Protein backbone atom coordinates (compact mmCIF):
# COMPACT_ATOMS: atom_id res chain seq x y z
CA UNK A 1 0.00 0.00 0.00
CA UNK A 2 1.34 3.43 -0.97
CA UNK A 3 0.59 6.59 0.98
CA UNK A 4 -0.41 10.00 -0.30
CA UNK A 5 2.21 11.77 -2.39
CA UNK A 6 2.97 15.31 -1.26
CA UNK A 7 3.45 18.37 -3.44
CA UNK A 8 6.58 18.62 -5.56
CA UNK A 9 9.21 20.87 -4.01
CA UNK A 10 10.70 23.89 -5.74
CA UNK A 11 13.19 23.44 -8.53
CA UNK A 12 16.70 24.19 -7.34
CA UNK A 13 19.33 25.57 -9.67
CA UNK A 14 22.85 24.98 -8.45
CA UNK A 15 24.97 28.10 -8.80
CA UNK A 16 28.60 27.31 -8.21
CA UNK A 17 32.11 27.76 -9.52
CA UNK A 18 35.22 25.71 -9.00
CA UNK A 19 38.33 26.87 -10.88
CA UNK A 20 42.01 26.15 -10.42
CA UNK A 21 45.54 26.49 -11.70
CA UNK A 22 47.99 23.61 -11.62
CA UNK A 23 50.97 25.05 -13.48
CA UNK A 24 53.27 27.46 -11.70
CA UNK A 25 52.50 31.12 -12.34
CA UNK A 26 55.43 33.50 -11.96
CA UNK A 27 55.53 37.22 -11.28
CA UNK A 28 51.98 37.97 -10.11
CA UNK A 29 52.34 41.63 -9.18
CA UNK A 30 51.12 42.98 -5.87
CA UNK A 31 47.40 43.71 -6.29
CA UNK A 32 47.10 41.74 -9.55
CA UNK A 33 44.38 39.15 -10.09
CA UNK A 34 45.35 35.49 -9.93
CA UNK A 35 43.91 33.81 -13.03
CA UNK A 36 42.52 30.28 -12.90
CA UNK A 37 42.65 28.87 -16.44
CA UNK A 38 41.00 25.54 -15.54
CA UNK A 39 37.30 25.29 -14.72
CA UNK A 40 36.06 22.22 -12.89
CA UNK A 41 32.47 23.44 -12.76
CA UNK A 42 30.58 26.68 -13.44
CA UNK A 43 26.83 26.16 -13.28
CA UNK A 44 23.76 28.33 -12.93
CA UNK A 45 23.26 31.95 -13.90
CA UNK A 46 24.17 33.73 -10.63
CA UNK A 47 27.91 33.01 -11.01
CA UNK A 48 29.87 33.46 -14.24
CA UNK A 49 33.64 33.17 -14.61
CA UNK A 50 36.02 34.52 -17.24
CA UNK A 51 39.16 32.31 -17.34
CA UNK A 52 41.05 34.94 -19.36
CA UNK A 53 40.71 37.69 -16.72
CA UNK A 54 40.13 35.76 -13.47
CA UNK A 55 37.00 37.83 -12.79
CA UNK A 56 33.90 36.19 -11.29
CA UNK A 57 30.64 37.99 -12.10
CA UNK A 58 27.91 37.71 -9.45
CA UNK A 59 24.17 38.41 -9.53
CA UNK A 60 22.72 41.20 -7.37
CA UNK A 61 20.96 40.72 -4.03
CA UNK A 62 22.45 37.30 -3.33
CA UNK A 63 24.45 35.69 -0.53
CA UNK A 64 27.62 33.83 -1.54
CA UNK A 65 30.34 31.78 0.07
CA UNK A 66 33.83 32.00 -1.45
CA UNK A 67 36.81 29.85 -0.53
CA UNK A 68 40.32 29.89 -1.92
CA UNK A 69 43.57 28.05 -1.39
CA UNK A 70 46.84 29.34 -2.82
CA UNK A 71 50.27 27.75 -2.58
CA UNK A 72 52.82 30.56 -2.98
CA UNK A 73 56.53 30.63 -3.37
CA UNK A 74 57.72 33.37 -1.05
CA UNK A 75 59.26 36.47 -2.57
CA UNK A 76 62.88 37.52 -1.90
CA UNK A 77 61.57 39.32 1.21
CA UNK A 78 60.11 36.01 2.40
CA UNK A 79 56.56 37.30 2.15
CA UNK A 80 53.55 36.17 0.13
CA UNK A 81 49.80 36.68 0.41
CA UNK A 82 46.40 36.58 -1.25
CA UNK A 83 42.94 38.02 -0.65
CA UNK A 84 39.45 38.18 -2.16
CA UNK A 85 38.22 41.45 -3.63
CA UNK A 86 34.56 42.35 -4.15
CA UNK A 87 34.03 45.22 -6.62
CA UNK A 88 37.69 46.18 -6.21
CA UNK A 89 37.63 46.27 -2.39
CA UNK A 90 39.23 43.66 -0.17
CA UNK A 91 36.72 41.51 1.73
CA UNK A 92 37.47 41.71 5.45
CA UNK A 93 38.74 38.40 6.78
CA UNK A 94 39.78 37.07 3.36
CA UNK A 95 43.47 37.99 3.41
CA UNK A 96 46.01 35.30 4.26
CA UNK A 97 49.75 36.03 4.37
CA UNK A 98 53.00 34.39 5.30
CA UNK A 99 55.71 36.65 6.66
CA UNK A 100 59.23 35.69 7.58
CA UNK A 101 60.36 35.18 11.13
CA UNK A 102 63.66 37.04 11.66
CA UNK A 103 66.53 34.63 11.01
CA UNK A 104 64.25 31.93 9.55
CA UNK A 105 62.95 31.23 6.09
CA UNK A 106 59.85 29.54 4.75
CA UNK A 107 60.67 26.81 2.22
CA UNK A 108 59.21 27.55 -1.21
CA UNK A 109 55.78 26.06 -1.75
CA UNK A 110 55.41 24.75 1.78
CA UNK A 111 52.81 27.30 2.82
CA UNK A 112 49.13 27.12 1.95
CA UNK A 113 47.16 30.34 2.17
CA UNK A 114 43.39 29.96 2.50
CA UNK A 115 40.25 31.74 3.58
CA UNK A 116 36.48 31.29 3.47
CA UNK A 117 34.09 34.24 3.58
CA UNK A 118 30.34 34.75 3.28
CA UNK A 119 29.18 38.02 1.75
CA UNK A 120 26.20 39.67 0.06
CA UNK A 121 25.86 41.56 -3.18
CA UNK A 122 23.52 44.54 -3.59
CA UNK A 123 24.14 45.10 -7.29
CA UNK A 124 25.80 43.09 -10.07
CA UNK A 125 29.27 42.50 -8.65
CA UNK A 126 32.72 41.22 -9.47
CA UNK A 127 34.93 38.99 -7.34
CA UNK A 128 38.58 38.13 -7.82
CA UNK A 129 41.53 36.70 -5.90
CA UNK A 130 44.57 38.98 -5.83
CA UNK A 131 48.20 38.60 -4.94
CA UNK A 132 49.15 40.63 -1.87
CA UNK A 133 52.69 41.44 -0.84
CA UNK A 134 53.38 44.35 1.53
CA UNK A 135 56.95 44.55 0.23
CA UNK A 136 55.54 45.30 -3.23
CA UNK A 137 57.40 42.38 -4.82
CA UNK A 138 55.59 39.99 -7.18
CA UNK A 139 54.60 36.55 -5.92
CA UNK A 140 54.88 33.19 -7.68
CA UNK A 141 52.21 30.54 -7.11
CA UNK A 142 52.71 26.79 -7.51
CA UNK A 143 48.95 26.13 -7.49
CA UNK A 144 45.68 27.71 -6.40
CA UNK A 145 41.92 27.22 -6.53
CA UNK A 146 38.75 29.17 -5.90
CA UNK A 147 35.25 27.94 -5.11
CA UNK A 148 32.16 30.16 -5.08
CA UNK A 149 28.66 28.98 -4.13
CA UNK A 150 25.40 30.97 -4.06
CA UNK A 151 23.78 30.33 -0.70
CA UNK A 152 20.59 32.38 -1.03
Amino acid sequence: MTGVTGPTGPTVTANNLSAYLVNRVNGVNNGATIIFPNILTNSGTAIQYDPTTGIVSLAPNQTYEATYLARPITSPSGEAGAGLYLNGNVINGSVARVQPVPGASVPDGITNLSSTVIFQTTSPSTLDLRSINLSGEPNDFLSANINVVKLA
Side-chain angles (χ1 to χ4, degrees):
M1 179 176 246
T2 303
V4 177
T5 301
T8 301
T11 301
V12 177
T13 300
N15 285 278
N16 58 68
L17 165 70
S18 181
Y20 61 98
L21 65 90
V22 291
N23 296 324
R24 179 177 171 157
V25 174
N26 294 323
V28 182
N29 289 326
N30 183 43
T33 299
I34 299 169
I35 297 173
F36 303 95
N38 306 294
I39 300 172
L40 185 60
T41 183
N42 189 187
S43 62
T45 58
I47 302 170
Q48 298 299 314
Y49 178 66
D50 184 340
T52 62
T53 64
I55 302 296
V56 181
S57 297
L58 304 171
N61 306 312
Q62 304 296 319
T63 300
Y64 294 92
E65 178 182 81
T67 301
Y68 73 85
L69 182 121
R71 191 170 179 209
I73 296 173
T74 56
S75 68
S77 69
E79 181 182 325
L84 291 166
Y85 283 69
L86 182 65
N87 298 325
N89 299 304
V90 68
I91 299 175
N92 290 335
S94 75
V95 174
R97 288 194 317 249
V98 59
Q99 294 178 298
V101 174
S105 64
V106 177
D108 287 345
I110 199 81
T111 301
N112 288 322
L113 306 174
S114 65
S115 183
T116 300
V117 292
I118 295 175
F119 59 94
Q120 294 180 321
T121 59
T122 56
S123 60
S125 298
T126 59
L127 178 75
D128 62 317
L129 179 65
R130 297 185 188 182
S131 176
I132 297 174
N133 191 330
L134 297 178
S135 72
E137 298 169 337
N139 289 318
D140 299 341
F141 291 90
L142 289 176
S143 61
N145 66 57
I146 187 169
N147 296 290
V148 183
V149 176
K150 182 176 93 66
L151 300 176

